Amino acid sequence: MLSYLKNSLRKIRSRWRYAKLEKSFNINLFRQIFIDPCFNICNLSCPYCPVGQKLKLNDMSKGMMTSDDFKQIWMKSLSGYKGKIGLYNWGESFLNPELPAIVNFLKTDTEAKIVLNSNFSFEFDDRIIDILKSLDDDTIIISCDGFSQSICEKYRVNVDFEKVIHNAVLISKNKKPATKLKWQYLRFPWNEGDIESARKFCEENKIIFYTGEGGVTPNYPMFPTPVIFNKYVFRCEFFLDSLTINFDGEVYPCCAYYGPDKYSLGNAKINSLEEIFTKGKGKKMLDYLMYKSQGENDIFCKHCVERNNKDLKNWDSPD
């Protein structure tokens, strides 16, 4: 019953946000925006991740966002944004040497809340410690799917489990009280037996533990959209939680997308998000998602929704 009420309220809020976006663009209608500082680069080789698989899809690129580019994009499109900024997506963000400057800018010049997600399978240095200590009313997510080296490395190939555990304790002891520390645990048939051990460790170290469904991804770039609601309401509202800006400024509908640049909605270094969503491909995407058009083939949402027109399992992540 509670889940039904939460979903109903979410739909009502989403309809309101859609209507507001159509009337007058307001960046704060997006609940969360991902800005990927380290795209297609990672220290692990997870078999169900396109980065881990080292996929080469058409014009797929890789690279790291500079702090200057980040500031340029922010001033052009995100000034005044007070929602969540996910500094991660398809790569290991902490590999970017300019991440401290990006975090420092967000903490000193904006009101946004930061979300960092990492495998934390690396040695901490002063640079990383400074980042973690600067966070306040923000979120750190540890991605680890087992509670032993042998189980964890079945998916997180090349992981150093002892480093992950060491770093988790270090973060828990040094973070500010307002900073949320979470452990994201993908469930697979081989790691179900480790869940309670991981949960107990989290309880002992004041870490929020949650699980999600792991599994084999479909053929990229046709990645499934996790939230699809009933016909005649809107086809999908996931972009309100996960609009994504790549390291090079290319804008995509959601964080689930991994594929060629031809499906980009525009470049945030060239055009503001307001221009993209009121005059460009973003407007075409909104029209399609609101059943105002049949959609055009250069809008990725059309391919995604038509291929995946069913609900996927929800995560039990806490709010």
Side-chain angles (χ1 to χ4, degrees), residues 142-202:
I142 302 164
S143 289
C144 186
D145 320 307
F147 203 71
S148 68
Q149 180 67 33
S150 60
I151 295 298
C152 195
E153 68 184 2
K154 286 189 176 183
Y155 179 62
R156 304 273 171 183
V157 178
N158 299 325
V159 72
D160 186 328
F161 178 70
E162 290 303 319
K163 282 183 181 175
V164 177
I165 291 299
H166 173 79
N167 291 337
V169 173
L170 191 65
I171 297 168
S172 180
K173 288 181 177 178
N174 288 279
K175 73 177 185 66
K176 293 178 182 177
T179 304
K180 297 182 183 70
L181 178 58
K182 301 181 179 182
W183 181 312
Q184 173 185 288
Y185 190 110
L186 297 182
R187 294 193 304 269
F188 297 98
W190 61 79
N191 69 3
E192 293 279 355
D194 273 8
I195 289 178
E196 288 312 309
S197 296
R199 193 188 303 275
K200 182 179 178 183
F201 170 83
C202 289

Side-chain angles (χ1 to χ4, degrees), residues 117-270:
N117 189 325
S118 170
N119 57 64
F120 286 111
S121 178
F122 44 79
E123 294 283 352
F124 275 19
D125 55 24
D126 291 341
R127 176 182 65 91
I128 294 173
I129 299 281
D130 287 343
I131 289 175
L132 299 175
K133 284 185 175 180
S134 72
L135 302 178
D136 193 3
D137 188 14
D138 304 294
T139 303
I140 304 168
I141 302 171
I142 302 164
S143 289
C144 186
D145 320 307
F147 203 71
S148 68
Q149 180 67 33
S150 60
I151 295 298
C152 195
E153 68 184 2
K154 286 189 176 183
Y155 179 62
R156 304 273 171 183
V157 178
N158 299 325
V159 72
D160 186 328
F161 178 70
E162 290 303 319
K163 282 183 181 175
V164 177
I165 291 299
H166 173 79
N167 291 337
V169 173
L170 191 65
I171 297 168
S172 180
K173 288 181 177 178
N174 288 279
K175 73 177 185 66
K176 293 178 182 177
T179 304
K180 297 182 183 70
L181 178 58
K182 301 181 179 182
W183 181 312
Q184 173 185 288
Y185 190 110
L186 297 182
R187 294 193 304 269
F188 297 98
W190 61 79
N191 69 3
E192 293 279 355
D194 273 8
I195 289 178
E196 288 312 309
S197 296
R199 193 188 303 275
K200 182 179 178 183
F201 170 83
C202 289
E203 290 174 357
E204 293 171 349
N205 290 279
K206 299 180 181 178
I207 302 171
I208 300 167
F209 181 80
Y210 67 99
T211 64
E213 290 293 327
V216 179
T217 54
N219 295 326
Y220 289 94
M222 300 303 178
F223 200 97
T225 301
V227 183
I228 296 178
F229 289 121
N230 295 331
K231 194 174 182 182
Y232 307 123
V233 179
F234 38 80
R235 289 183 166 99
C236 178
E237 60 123 10
F238 193 43
F239 82 98
L240 290 170
D241 285 309
S242 60
L243 185 72
T244 299
I245 302 173
N246 257 12
F247 81 100
D248 53 4
E250 298 296 334
V251 180
Y252 295 98
C254 70
C255 62
Y257 179 76
Y258 180 96
D261 292 350
K262 68 179 181 179
Y263 290 117
S264 168
L265 298 176
N267 192 295
K269 291 196 292 186
I270 300 170

Side-chain angles (χ1 to χ4, degrees), residues 17 28 36 52 61 79 101 107 114 125 163 165 178 191 198 224 239 247 253 294 303 309:
R17 288 172 191 265
N28 282 297
D36 196 344
S61 55
S79 182
K107 296 306 298 179
I114 297 172
D125 55 24
K163 282 183 181 175
I165 291 299
N191 69 3
F239 82 98
F247 81 100
Q294 294 299 310
H303 305 285
N309 192 22

Side-chain angles (χ1 to χ4, degrees), residues 34 36-39 86-91 93 244 246 254-257:
F34 288 85
D36 196 344
C38 191
F39 180 72
L87 289 177
Y88 65 97
N89 199 24
W90 294 114
S93 302
T244 299
N246 257 12
C254 70
C255 62
Y257 179 76

